[in-house]
Amino acid sequence: MYYNRFKDKKLSALAFGAMRLPVDGEGKIDEKQTFDMVDYAIKNGVNYFDTAYPYHGGLSEVVMGKALGRYPRESYYLATKFPGHQISSSYNPKEIFEEQLAKCGVEYFDFYLLHNVYESSIDVYLDEKWGIIDYFLEQKKNGRIRHLGFSTHGGLEVIERFLDYCGENMEFCQIQLNYLDWTLQDAKAKYDLLTSRKIPVWVMEPVRGGRLAKLDEQSEAEMHAIHPDMSIASWALRWLQGLNNVTTVLSGMSNMAQVQDNIRTFEARKPLLKSENVIVKRAIDRMNTSVPCTACKYCCDGCPIGLDIPMLLSFYNDIKFSPSVNTSMRLDNVPKEKLPSACIKCGKCAKVCPQKIEIPTALSELTESLAKMPKWSDISREREETAKKLREQKL
């Protein structure tokens, strides 16, 4: 395992994510498998473990606390997150934080994140009535948080706004970053922004929820022709090793085989060669069925509804490649009259589009796709209800 320096610490380049732990036939976390995976990870040099309040219905923190509690506290770094992205009157920073410490069985967190700062949650985080940022800065001052940061699935403008408000207090940022989202979700611009602000990057979704672990037949053949013994997922992880401002890469591992494969990839830093990046670029081109929107906004000028068409087309491209609740989450903040369903199909946008995109058709398809996806508000409400039950049970 190789390590990257963060202030006075050496963090393993591979981090153990606890959002996709192995489960049994009833959907409960398989503690034995999880313990075995944690043991193997620690034995092979992983020292950073990441969980969060809502993971596995609130039980990820409990199980990870048990797994890590068998080791000396100073031998690992534990990170968890405050669920401000699903806050309500039943959420209180102090109550949640104390509960998290108890669930994990620790007296402090090495790393603590404000969870998922995005279009709908940023106002909650910045609203003084909740006192979220001030409270956690106080906990850091008291030594109960060693390092404070945030995670985000938000757009570039949201990240800029958040950093302008409290960037001097944020020590690191966790973003969705992989070779596909480098352009598909404009992750490059987010990475560049954080780098320019001298904020180290933590990576989540390095293989996009497993999507980059299995590619089309031709792409896999080209990769195996060069490295027959390397997994397809390892190409995505090695691509990230070429980014100098990446401190650690979180992988949500669900079985021992994934742990072993990832650890092999991070035995030494071996970023992709130029010739290997060419192969990755060809794989991206084969996956890319997106519309070629350049965000010139010519389409917006004549839209009678005033839709932000480039933004909606970016959501269209994301869903077309791989449906994700992240898109539904971000659209929750868009007024009903600005959703793709508001399009009246007048066609003015398509007539002026330099890329000749059939915009009304794309917006219609986006509307249909969104109707089939679970709404983030419903997911958030279910998670909140589960968390409330767990609090009542005093887990």
Side-chain angles (χ1 to χ4, degrees):
M1 178 64 59
Y2 76 89
Y3 298 84
N4 289 315
R5 177 70 62 179
F6 175 76
K7 300 192 175 184
D8 62 339
K9 295 176 172 60
K10 286 171 54 179
L11 304 186
S12 54
L14 172 67
F16 192 112
M19 186 174 74
R20 299 184 176 97
L21 297 174
V23 296
D24 59 23
E26 297 180 355
K28 298 179 180 179
I29 298 173
D30 187 319
E31 292 195 12
K32 183 182 184 307
Q33 280 196 65
T34 299
F35 283 23
D36 289 344
M37 291 162 59
V38 168
D39 290 344
Y40 187 90
I42 290 178
K43 181 180 179 181
N44 287 275
V46 175
N47 65 9
Y48 188 101
F49 296 84
D50 170 274
T51 183
Y53 189 77
Y55 292 173
H56 285 279
L59 293 177
S60 175
E61 290 177 325
V62 175
V63 174
M64 290 306 294
K66 290 180 182 178
L68 293 170
R70 300 170 298 142
Y71 293 88
R73 181 63 185 89
E74 67 277 6
S75 67
Y76 61 87
Y77 299 120
L78 176 60
T80 193
K81 311 176 187 75
F82 176 73
H85 63 303
Q86 55 188 86
I87 200 166
S88 76
S89 57
S90 64
Y91 281 69
N92 175 282
K94 184 179 187 302
E95 291 178 1
I96 295 296
F97 187 68
E98 297 295 341
E99 179 187 351
Q100 289 177 301
L101 290 169
K103 286 166 67 178
C104 292
V106 296
E107 295 182 352
Y108 66 90
F109 292 114
D110 301 280
F111 295 86
Y112 197 83
L113 297 85
L114 305 179
H115 199 176
N116 195 7
V117 176
Y118 77 109
E119 283 76 2
S120 287
S121 68
I122 185 170
D123 289 333
V124 171
Y125 280 118
L126 304 188
D127 193 332
E128 293 183 359
K129 79 175 181 181
W130 297 106
I132 295 172
I133 295 175
D134 287 342
Y135 175 77
F136 290 118
L137 285 174
E138 180 184 354
Q139 300 315 304
K140 181 184 174 185
K141 182 179 179 180
N142 294 337
R144 304 174 85 199
I145 292 173
R146 301 297 164 86
H147 300 286
L148 182 64
F150 70 106
S151 70
T152 178
H153 285 285
L156 184 65
E157 298 79 7
V158 166
I159 301 175
E160 286 181 313
R161 180 185 168 202
F162 189 75
L163 292 177
D164 287 343
Y165 182 84
C166 61
E168 70 277 6
N169 295 314
M170 296 294 113
E171 299 177 79
F172 63 101
C173 178
Q174 191 166 301
I175 62 172
Q176 179 169 322
L177 181 59
N178 52 66
Y179 64 66
L180 182 71
D181 287 324
W182 188 246
T183 54
L184 186 61
Q185 287 199 1
D186 205 14
K188 180 182 185 302
K190 300 173 188 178
Y191 173 87
D192 289 344
L193 171 64
L194 293 166
T195 301
S196 70
R197 301 278 186 117
K198 294 182 170 46
I199 297 177
V201 171
W202 273 220
V203 171
M204 58 181 164
E205 301 293 354
V207 291
R208 219 175 195 268
R211 180 62 179 81
L212 301 182
K214 184 173 179 58
L215 304 178
D216 63 279
E217 186 175 337
Q218 186 174 350
S219 295
E220 291 198 1
E222 291 181 0
M223 292 178 178
H224 285 315
I226 298 178
H227 299 293
D229 298 327
M230 287 176 53
S231 68
I232 301 303
S234 70
W235 283 70
L237 300 178
R238 288 183 57 218
W239 180 86
L240 289 163
Q241 292 177 10
L243 300 176
N244 292 329
N245 193 35
V246 167
T247 299
T248 191
V249 177
L250 282 78
S251 178
M253 297 170 277
S254 302
N255 56 58
M256 182 65 80
Q258 292 174 356
V259 178
Q260 294 171 336
D261 182 57
N262 287 347
I263 286 175
R264 280 194 297 271
T265 303
F266 283 93
E267 285 178 350
R269 185 172 184 172
K270 295 180 290 187
L272 295 180
L273 303 172
K274 287 184 179 180
S275 58
E276 294 170 326
N277 271 309
V278 170
I279 293 174
V280 168
K281 177 60 168 62
R282 287 203 291 263
I284 293 172
D285 290 341
R286 294 187 188 102
M287 286 186 282
N288 191 359
T289 58
S290 61
V291 295
C293 177
T294 62
C296 68
K297 294 203 170 184
Y298 291 167
C299 54
C300 298
D301 293 340
C303 178
I305 309 299
L307 300 179
D308 187 341
I309 295 172
M311 178 192 72
L312 296 176
L313 290 180
S314 71
F315 292 142
Y316 170 80
N317 283 337
D318 196 42
I319 287 181
K320 189 168 176 140
F321 172 74
S322 179
S324 168
V325 72
N326 290 335
T327 299
S328 174
M329 175 184 68
R330 292 186 64 196
L331 278 169
D332 256 9
N333 195 51
V334 177
K336 184 176 181 180
E337 65 273 14
K338 301 299 180 182
L339 290 171
S341 56
C343 174
I344 61 174
K345 301 179 176 57
C346 66
K348 291 181 179 179
C349 51
K351 290 178 181 178
V352 298
C353 177
Q355 307 303 321
K356 308 302 181 186
I357 301 171
E358 286 297 326
I359 296 172
T361 300
L363 296 184
S364 179
E365 292 177 3
L366 175 58
T367 300
E368 293 176 7
S369 297
L370 290 172
K372 299 174 184 177
M373 292 175 60
K375 292 184 178 180
W376 170 251
S377 54
D378 293 337
I379 295 173
S380 183
R381 184 167 53 254
E382 290 175 4
R383 288 179 177 177
E384 184 178 327
E385 290 173 354
T386 300
K388 186 176 179 181
K389 290 179 181 177
L390 290 172
R391 289 200 298 277
E392 291 172 349
Q393 295 170 10
K394 296 182 180 180
L395 283 177

